[in-house]
Amino acid sequence: MTLEARIPPGPLPEKWDRHKASIKLVSPANRRKYNILVIGTGLAGASAAASLGELGYNVQSFCIHDSPRRAHSVAAQGGINAAKNYANDGDSIWRLFYDTIKGGDFRSREANVYRLAQLSVNIIDQCVAQGVPFAREYGGLLATRSFGGAQVSRTFYARGQTGQQLLLGAYGALMRQVDAGTVRLYPNREMLDLVVIDGKARGIVVRNLITGALESYAGDAVVLATGGYGNVFCLSTNAVNSNATAIWRCYKRGAFFANPCFVQIHPTCIPVSGEYQSKLTLMSESLRNDGRVWVPKKKGDTRPPNAIPEEERDYYLERKYPSFGNLVPRDIASRSAKEVCDEGRGVGETGMAVYLDFADAIKRLGKEVIRERYGNLFDMYERITGENPYEVPMRIYPAVHYTMGGLWVDYNLMSTIPGLHVLGEANFSDHGANRLGASALMQGLADGYFIIPMTIGHYLASTELPPVSTSHAAFQEATRAVEERINKLLAVKGKKTVKEFHRELGQILWDYVGMSRNEAGLKHALVSIQKLREEFWQNVLVSDTASTFNKDLEFAGRVADYFELAELMTIDALHRTESCGCHFREESQTPEGEAKRDDEHFCYVAAWEYTENEPILHKEPLVFENVELTQRSYK
């Protein structure tokens, strides 16, 4: 199968406008004839369902929680990028485009990234109109702050709660359409399979998480916005309910999975404190605007941070990367933290942490200014650690945060299964090998508010879609497959809990498919994952039954999918023998120890096709006509 990205012709700044002018439309009177299934109610899913409902389509929206307000998008605290240049510091659509391409280490499509930069300006206006309480300057203009990977101030924010406020805006728009009757909301549903009829996505099978009942829904198109798969590592900054099951079942139905090994490590997380943690807590990257990162110069220095004099501190990011300092991209900040900890200069009880110090900023700006900017984040840190960051430096360490890999989509956000559109973190499209901070919210809202309302109409107007109902044999087959999988999990009756298996799997991935990789470690990981998966199916303990509320069964199904996904991630990492973004291949580094790309052999998207044997690799070449591929430098 040839991957057709369907990138429009013409100059880069004109591609999206030309595309919108050339695609087919569905008239307002005909939109009510189409039924669209939207899975996920985070920023991408809620904005898509609200926008499609307002256009007049019949929308069915499926939420894994009891309310869309609980989607993981609330955890994106720091801000959202947009090229409005309110700070008058030289920003532009082109600069945002270039920073995003460069930050992703030249492993994303030019056309998609430029469109994202263009739409960023519209997103802010949309959200202000919805009442999102962005911070404002004294004169009334919206305020911005800096984020990693940029030398301009382009990140709009609502204190340290930006994701939450943006989600409330999208939620309000969604519930307005629910009230109007164009959207029907189904809470507490988890998608467990995709129904494909005549090669097209025509429905889904979900499990009612309260009653345990399996339900089928038919539609003319499916929009998947279920987030990323970072929880495959067990410990991550993701909400515990975030999972990969929906995209994985679509992969097994024929949707190609692109760049599965591209996982972002976030440098600003509260360190691991115990073996039995369920998740890690993210401290917003916005803190690096005013916090300075450092460790002691001497190995094994266990003095309290305030007892270590200035001349005995190593502000290593400022030393190594003077142009960007503490605002280097996430991959570089993360890898640098790991290096100093591996040298024995880490801090805290475990030695696996570095300091993020606000003493200089408090002295320069005053405590009240810092409280105004980051107060809720400081409060959260103190509640978790028992330490007051106004008085002592925060302790931080990298953790799994975001996934750049996901289902492959074309320029219209459609997967290799016609009719299956994939939005936000669930697709691979915009971030390459490393996402710049504050760009996840930007992509989710661009996909939902501005792209899918245009492109899905083109699919519906161009495709024959005879009526189907849930009595079709394909729905019965998909339901049977889900039932068999559930019954297989319940029948094992082993002695080892789901959490124990998940923790062991996550440790394998973190050790061998994490920040630093090599061929021997990846091959070891592949064998270890396969052995652990065999043990899982022989010895996992899943209590109770399928016909009831059963968290054990929920998590068992997700971990079973994680085992298969982890194997594909490792295969993908093994085949990509270059370093790029936050994927440091030890065999591919510069003399200074920085990541070294191999553009001659790996300047492509690796899209994997499922087969019952080995996955098949398809390559989408990445063509750069507007930027020059250079070795990234933030020095």
Side-chain angles (χ1 to χ4, degrees), residues 125-194:
D125 296 338
Q126 171 91 2
C127 295
V128 169
Q130 290 175 339
V132 173
F134 286 121
R136 292 182 181 269
E137 302 288 3
Y138 178 76
L141 283 178
L142 298 183
T144 56
R145 56 189 176 199
S146 301
F147 248 63
Q151 291 180 304
V152 296
S153 180
R154 66 161 65 103
T155 304
F156 295 77
Y157 63 97
R159 206 178 181 193
Q161 304 170 351
T162 313
Q164 180 179 355
Q165 297 302 326
L166 291 171
L167 184 63
L168 287 173
Y171 169 74
L174 172 63
M175 296 312 291
R176 178 173 176 268
Q177 296 306 315
V178 171
D179 185 63
T182 61
V183 176
R184 185 169 180 182
L185 182 63
Y186 296 86
N188 296 303
R189 263 60 169 203
E190 180 173 23
M191 177 178 160
L192 295 183
D193 212 343
L194 178 74

Side-chain angles (χ1 to χ4, degrees), residues 41 63 65-74 164 167-168 171-172 174-175:
T41 51
C63 176
H65 303 290
D66 54 357
S67 167
R69 290 173 298 176
R70 296 188 62 197
H72 181 57
S73 299
V74 301
Q164 180 179 355
L167 184 63
L168 287 173
Y171 169 74
L174 172 63
M175 296 312 291

Side-chain angles (χ1 to χ4, degrees), residues 85-101:
N85 194 31
Y86 283 172
N88 196 28
D89 57 0
D91 201 12
S92 64
I93 288 173
W94 178 267
R95 193 175 291 275
L96 175 53
F97 155 72
Y98 183 76
D99 286 348
T100 305
I101 284 278

